[in-house]
Amino acid sequence: MSDQKFDVIFIGAGPAGYVGAIRAAQLGLKVACVDAFTGKDGKQALGGTCLNVGCIPSKALLDSSKQFYNIAHNLPVHGITVDGAKVDLTTFIGRKDKIVKQFTGGIGQLFKANKVTPFYGKGKLLKGNQVEITAQDGSKQTISATNVVLASGSVPIELPFAKFDGKHIVDNAGALDFTEVPKRLGVIGAGVIGLELGSVWRRLGAEVTVLEAMPDFLGAADADIAKIAFKEFTKLGLNIKMGAKLSKAEVKKDGVHLVYADKDGEQSLVVDKLLVAVGRRAYTDGLLADDTGVKLDERGRIVVDEHNHTGVDGVWAIGDAVRGPMLAHKGSEEGVAVAEWIAGKAGHVNFDTIPWVIYTEPEIAWAGKTEKQLKEEGVPYKVGTFPFAAIGRAVAMNEAFGQVKMLAHAETDRILGVHMVGPGVSELIAECVVAMEFKGSSEDLARIVHAHPTLSEAVHEAALSVDKRAIHKGN
């Protein structure tokens, strides 16, 4: 029997679930949100992986490590010298924890303000749109709703020969809480997580070696942007080995002993800590009773249609647990869209204009098609590029590296993709996403006045460059 009845129940309080729950409540629906994440204090911590051990804490550490790195590497060129700078890791990690606590607590306040009822425990979908909630102490209760939205998120992929022990071999969460700077840090996977967290500890003095099994660096990014980024990361001191396939990781007294193979054969490496960041998988363990009718694909993701409906009456799924990029903002927009569809309104998520960002130094951001994709699809295109080295604001900031690359249709001039590496590009990409969402052309951006001196002038000049009209470089 159900104890309580709702209009909508969200299972998962990450960026997909909590945002969807708030939007559903705004639309006048009676909403519950079930989540089992536990914070460092042992209490329920809303926000999922992103707020607790992902997006937010990693950005806090990235910023803190950048401040320290700047003291030795960027301030001297400004005529500023600081002697004896050191890092207090207790404060360093404590600042991150404080920020996490602020935001997870903020979601609780938003739930209260919007009359969303939170439940603490692991949610399981039962037949008939009932949700069984198992609390930490093992006690169970059942609630029901007209609609249930599955937003269970994702978890790190664990390698069978390099299992997480939380001390020597860690996932993203463990790499956020080192009690000392490792002398030697190994990172398996040159993706977003590996590069971001590798950058944090490199800036603090760790020797960082990144092993990536794939032959191409950042294969999802535009090749020109990836090439520039690789060069800059190498300058930072990240030792990135491509085509390096790990086969063994053994913890011994003197560190973690790794065996991997590359183009030159079998290699060995000893590190003090090993971060395994080879990707994430949909977290659907224990989520579904056998008779719900909800289907999973070959990768364990929940099968949904273009409206995120599972095909089972009143059951939807969003975020990392379904197809599409595992990005917090993608999940949030799906949450909003599903809430609006349930309420009889028109939800909308355009997968073609979802921005991607890697918050390294320099940052990497893109939206739309890469040049390789356009070639493979036979789409006629033209290219415009502009380097930050020719942008006054970037030079004044001592961050004059990277470029903006714009791809537009050769016949219609519609913007098909924009790719960036450089200072502040996580913010600059938004302008391009707006232009693309409104089916804008490179000419549109070329004719818009951009303030001087700003980093955004790189976007302006790249748009001009598409038709060989850039002012501050040769065409």
Side-chain angles (χ1 to χ4, degrees), residues 184-190 194-195 198-199 201-203 206-212 217 229-244 258 260 262 267-271:
R184 303 162 299 179
L185 173 65
V187 178
I188 309 303
L195 291 173
S199 296
W201 297 106
R202 173 61 198 141
R203 288 176 190 160
E207 297 174 7
V208 180
T209 302
V210 183
L211 304 181
E212 171 55 55
F217 182 65
F230 186 91
K231 182 179 179 181
E232 293 298 329
F233 295 152
T234 301
K235 286 181 182 178
L236 175 66
L238 292 179
N239 183 13
I240 305 172
K241 298 180 180 293
M242 302 303 299
L258 308 180
Y260 67 93
D262 61 14
Q267 310 289 340
S268 61
L269 176 69
V270 180
V271 296

Side-chain angles (χ1 to χ4, degrees), residues 191-205:
V192 177
I193 294 171
L195 291 173
E196 289 186 358
L197 293 179
S199 296
V200 167
W201 297 106
R202 173 61 198 141
R203 288 176 190 160
L204 298 186

Side-chain angles (χ1 to χ4, degrees), residues 55-284:
C55 323
I56 301 304
S58 63
K59 302 312 162 289
L61 294 191
L62 278 163
D63 189 72
S64 293
S65 65
K66 181 179 179 180
Q67 304 301 332
F68 179 74
Y69 186 83
N70 282 346
I71 289 174
H73 298 276
N74 288 333
L75 291 187
V77 76
H78 295 279
I80 302 170
T81 302
V82 178
D83 295 323
K86 60 182 181 178
V87 174
D88 176 0
L89 268 192
T90 300
T91 303
F92 183 86
I93 299 297
R95 173 181 177 270
K96 176 262 296 181
D97 291 341
K98 184 178 180 181
I99 291 170
V100 168
K101 187 78 172 175
Q102 174 186 338
F103 278 91
T104 57
I107 296 173
Q109 292 300 314
L110 289 170
F111 274 8
K112 187 175 181 179
N114 287 280
K115 297 181 173 58
V116 174
T117 303
F119 287 87
Y120 187 16
K122 183 173 176 57
K124 181 177 184 177
L125 177 68
L126 308 179
K127 187 177 181 180
N129 294 2
Q130 296 186 89
V131 175
E132 179 185 79
I133 304 169
T134 303
Q136 274 191 313
D137 61 7
S139 62
K140 299 179 185 293
Q141 66 173 309
T142 303
I143 59 178
S144 63
T146 307
N147 293 275
V148 177
V149 184
L150 306 172
S152 52
S154 62
V155 291
I157 293 173
E158 187 174 44
L159 296 175
F161 46 82
K163 290 187 174 295
F164 304 128
D165 62 15
K167 184 178 180 181
H168 304 97
I169 302 176
V170 301
D171 59 8
N172 57 291
L176 292 168
D177 278 332
F178 289 152
T179 55
E180 60 183 13
V181 178
K183 186 175 186 300
R184 303 162 299 179
L185 173 65
V187 178
I188 309 303
V192 177
I193 294 171
L195 291 173
E196 289 186 358
L197 293 179
S199 296
V200 167
W201 297 106
R202 173 61 198 141
R203 288 176 190 160
L204 298 186
E207 297 174 7
V208 180
T209 302
V210 183
L211 304 181
E212 171 55 55
M214 301 300 290
D216 298 321
F217 182 65
L218 289 178
D222 186 88
D224 290 339
I225 297 302
K227 183 178 180 180
I228 295 170
F230 186 91
K231 182 179 179 181
E232 293 298 329
F233 295 152
T234 301
K235 286 181 182 178
L236 175 66
L238 292 179
N239 183 13
I240 305 172
K241 298 180 180 293
M242 302 303 299
K245 298 181 180 179
L246 183 72
S247 59
K248 187 177 181 180
E250 186 178 1
V251 178
K252 297 184 179 181
K253 286 185 178 180
D254 61 338
V256 185
H257 289 242
L258 308 180
V259 176
Y260 67 93
D262 61 14
K263 61 181 177 60
D264 297 319
E266 187 173 278
Q267 310 289 340
S268 61
L269 176 69
V270 180
V271 296
D272 299 300
K273 301 284 186 181
L274 180 66
L275 164 61
V276 178
V278 295
R280 299 178 67 85
R281 63 173 179 83
Y283 179 58
T284 54

Side-chain angles (χ1 to χ4, degrees), residues 363-439:
E363 293 181 339
I364 305 166
W366 71 89
K369 301 285 188 178
T370 64
E371 188 169 358
K372 180 182 178 182
Q373 288 172 326
L374 294 176
K375 285 180 179 178
E376 291 174 346
E377 295 170 10
V379 177
Y381 66 91
K382 47 188 177 178
V383 183
T385 63
F386 198 81
F388 281 100
I391 296 296
R393 181 68 186 276
V395 174
M397 293 166 58
N398 197 38
E399 295 185 42
F401 39 70
Q403 72 170 15
V404 174
K405 177 178 180 179
M406 188 171 295
L407 302 165
H409 196 285
E411 298 164 2
T412 68
D413 194 38
R414 181 174 174 178
I415 301 171
L416 303 175
V418 184
H419 308 268
M420 312 174 177
V421 56
V425 298
S426 60
E427 303 294 342
L428 296 183
I429 194 65
E431 172 186 6
C432 304
V433 170
V434 170
M436 293 169 67
E437 185 69 29
F438 284 93
K439 299 178 174 56

